[in-house]
Amino acid sequence: MLQNDQLAEWDRENFFHPSTPLGQFARGELSNRIVTGGKGVYIEDREGNKLLDAFAGLYCVNIGYGRTEVADAIAEQAKELAYYHAYVGHGTEASITLAKMILDRAPDHMSKVYFGLSGSDANETNIKLVWYYNNVLDRPKKKKIISRWRGYHGSGLMTGSLTGLELFHNKFDLPLDQVVHTDAPYYFRRDDLSLSEADFVKQCADNLDALIQKEGPDTVAAFIGEPVLGTGGIVPPPAGYWEAIQAVLNKYDILLIADEVVTGFGRLGSMFGSEHYGIKPDIITIAKGLTSAYAPLSGSIVSDKVWKVLEAGTDKLGAIGHGWTYSAHPISAAAGVANLKLIDELNIVSNAKETGAYFNQSLKDALSDISIVGDIRGEGIMAAVEFVKDKDSRTFFDPADKVGYQVAGALLERSKVIGRAMPQGDILGFAPPLCLTREESDTIVAAAKDAIESVAAKL
Ligand code: PLP
């Protein structure tokens, strides 16, 4: 075992951490946390702190930490066969079984799953498939992808472009030309406060229609969206949003990619967000909840309609020119099989629905009267609290005050509960493991009330 002080030093000297202010971290102005263990909804660090992780890592440890069933499946697979590739028809029992389990749970019109390693690479795959699809159909101009402001789809070149958050574009020369952004379905932040929800939905659909007309319908290939906006602020769509959007896409023969990296496998209290909102996607992106992050794995589930064209393309052109060395990695696939079995055995999806409803209602009951709480919203086991300077006029705080970060900091310091300050706006996000109990929910809600009140008193 290494000396603790040495480990912290090595961390600052050698480790390039993602999504981190690099200089502050290297200079020691930002504390490091070295995580050593986890059980249920709790993690532990080497200082001996036990923290309630109310964001399930990065909304991914859906079955909770420390499930030996998944760990054992990983160990068995590693001993039996740690690796073989999936090119040219090769597979393993785990990868084939997992593909079947995914399709058994996915909407009926879905046909096949391509495996990747991360949500980002799955969305890169999706865009390549959309372009291939339109080339096979002899529509070489139909290539642009419409995404939403505040959408999050990864941080690669294409996926960072699809992501509609400034932080992921600035100084990276993104977005790429083929990506166009449209409105976020974010009713609380609507420009015109007099709009009803129904008016706002109509405005989103009309603006999308106008954007497609402006770009030229024969140049627009696909629309990508998360059933519930995640990293952009945890924003469930207003009623009727997905129906209105799909009507516009159908009018112009534009494919729909449902990015279910967060919502897939139960987070909304339904197996898929598509099922939850009546979305009929052409491609579904999955990752996080597929293995509950016990091993890296993602997938692109393609519909019958897309698959038929891909098949016709390769019949003419030869093997699909796309593949990763680690696609369908047996160890990750074994983790996926064990994870999906546990989700069924533990009734995780219905718990997400029931405990999620309790959690969301408790947040509303406890926090609505606090002066800086402007909005409390959520769906399934996902929730956000948004802070404002003035409720009546919906005046936001100066971003420089970093109110969201202050609240997340107070939550951690005062109650050892991890929430997430969402990157754009003063928003405290929650997405605990789906095995959350009512008692744990009460702990989170009490901690949130205490943290918000303590920050409000200082402002
Ligand atoms: N899509 C969505 C909706 C996400 O929330 C994320 C990550 O948070 C991604 C894609 C990217 O996944 P990854 O970080 O595994 O590349």
Side-chain angles (χ1 to χ4, degrees):
M1 194 66 166
L2 290 161
Q3 296 288 312
N4 282 348
D5 53 342
Q6 210 181 352
L7 208 54
E9 219 173 276
W10 285 359
D11 188 12
R12 293 191 192 285
E13 280 174 6
N14 302 293
F15 192 167
F16 185 155
H17 288 261
S19 278
T20 298
L22 303 177
Q24 280 177 34
F25 183 75
R27 290 189 298 271
E29 295 157 20
L30 190 79
S31 61
N32 47 7
R33 185 183 302 287
I34 300 170
V35 183
T36 51
K39 186 95 197 131
V41 300
Y42 290 92
I43 60 163
E44 265 181 44
D45 66 18
R46 71 178 179 133
E47 313 292 333
N49 292 308
K50 189 176 169 198
L51 309 168
L52 196 167
D53 183 5
F55 214 83
L58 292 171
Y59 18 40
C60 51
V61 188
N62 287 359
I63 54 171
Y65 295 91
R67 298 276 185 197
T68 51
E69 297 89 332
V70 184
D72 290 345
I74 289 172
E76 272 164 40
Q77 183 65 52
K79 281 187 237 162
E80 200 176 293
L81 177 71
Y83 174 75
Y84 203 72
H85 68 76
Y87 282 37
V88 213
H90 290 81
T92 60
E93 184 177 334
S95 57
I96 295 166
T97 305
L98 184 60
K100 163 115 179 78
M101 289 174 85
I102 292 168
L103 266 300
D104 284 349
R105 286 158 178 77
D108 288 345
H109 68 289
M110 304 313 283
S111 173
K112 304 280 185 293
V113 57
Y114 173 89
F115 288 110
L117 271 289
S118 70
S120 296
D121 74 45
N123 278 327
E124 297 284 338
T125 294
N126 294 342
I127 305 309
K128 281 185 71 183
L129 295 183
V130 166
W131 287 350
Y132 189 92
Y133 172 91
N134 275 330
N135 285 330
V136 171
L137 291 178
D138 204 14
R139 307 193 293 200
K141 277 183 7 197
K142 208 166 167 65
K143 295 291 161 55
K144 290 177 195 160
I145 313 292
I146 299 182
S147 175
R148 283 113 33 108
W149 291 116
R150 287 183 175 269
Y152 189 82
H153 303 292
S155 57
L157 287 175
M158 173 48 80
T159 53
S161 301
L162 298 172
T163 288
L165 294 166
E166 287 155 28
L167 186 68
F168 293 84
H169 295 167
N170 283 349
K171 304 284 184 270
F172 285 113
D173 293 353
L174 298 180
L176 300 176
D177 289 345
Q178 297 97 330
V179 175
V180 193
H181 290 94
T182 189
D183 303 328
Y186 200 154
Y187 182 64
F188 181 66
R189 282 187 173 250
R190 67 202 177 281
D191 289 333
D192 178 357
L193 288 175
S194 71
L195 286 186
S196 69
E197 269 202 11
D199 292 340
F200 176 72
V201 165
K202 184 168 182 317
Q203 180 181 286
C204 290
D206 289 349
N207 287 350
L208 175 63
D209 199 313
L211 179 67
I212 295 166
Q213 285 291 347
K214 182 178 138 246
E215 297 292 331
D218 59 340
T219 71
V220 180
F223 177 98
I224 184 165
E226 304 147 86
V228 170
L229 275 178
T231 306
I234 307 195
V235 189
Y241 171 81
W242 279 112
E243 200 183 336
I245 293 298
Q246 289 181 99
V248 176
L249 301 179
N250 289 338
K251 198 162 121 189
Y252 299 112
D253 195 8
I254 292 171
L255 296 174
L256 172 56
I257 304 168
D259 185 341
E260 299 237 26
V261 165
V262 170
T263 54
F265 306 104
R267 181 146 299 278
L268 300 181
S270 308
M271 189 53 82
F272 283 95
S274 296
E275 170 194 337
H276 198 80
Y277 288 114
I279 303 170
K280 193 165 182 245
D282 298 292
I283 301 178
I284 299 177
T285 323
I286 50 174
K288 303 181 187 267
L290 174 58
T291 59
S292 289
Y294 277 63
L297 190 67
S298 64
S300 300
I301 316 178
V302 297
S303 62
D304 293 319
K305 173 176 145 182
V306 172
W307 178 257
K308 283 201 180 87
V309 176
L310 299 180
E311 245 185 24
T314 59
D315 282 349
K316 237 196 298 180
L317 304 164
I320 190 105
H322 185 72
W324 316 133
T325 299
Y326 298 134
S327 184
H329 195 289
I331 291 178
S332 300
V337 170
N339 172 62
L340 293 190
K341 276 188 192 155
L342 262 187
I343 288 179
D344 289 350
E345 281 162 28
L346 301 172
N347 284 323
I348 290 266
V349 182
S350 54
N351 187 61
K353 187 173 177 188
E354 280 152 31
T355 310
Y358 174 79
F359 176 52
N360 271 291
Q361 189 56 49
S362 307
L363 284 170
K364 288 200 170 102
D365 294 344
L367 309 180
S368 297
D369 291 339
I370 304 177
S371 62
I372 63 167
V373 172
D375 194 30
I376 306 166
R377 53 182 179 255
E379 190 71 23
I381 299 198
M382 242 179 138
V385 186
E386 182 150 4
F387 306 110
V388 288
K389 199 167 181 181
D390 183 75
K391 268 191 202 199
D392 296 333
S393 60
R394 201 211 49 188
T395 309
F396 295 106
F397 285 106
D398 181 341
D401 293 337
K402 293 189 178 292
V403 173
Y405 285 93
Q406 287 191 50
V407 176
L411 187 73
L412 188 60
E413 269 165 41
R414 296 166 68 93
S415 306
K416 296 197 174 170
V417 171
I418 300 172
R420 184 172 180 199
M422 308 311 288
Q424 203 165 299
D426 291 306
I427 303 162
L428 179 66
F430 292 112
L434 311 190
C435 57
L436 189 78
T437 63
R438 285 188 174 215
E439 203 188 344
E440 291 158 351
S441 163
D442 292 345
T443 305
I444 301 169
V445 174
K449 183 169 160 50
D450 169 78
I452 299 166
E453 283 175 347
S454 81
V455 171
K458 281 190 283 174
L459 288 168

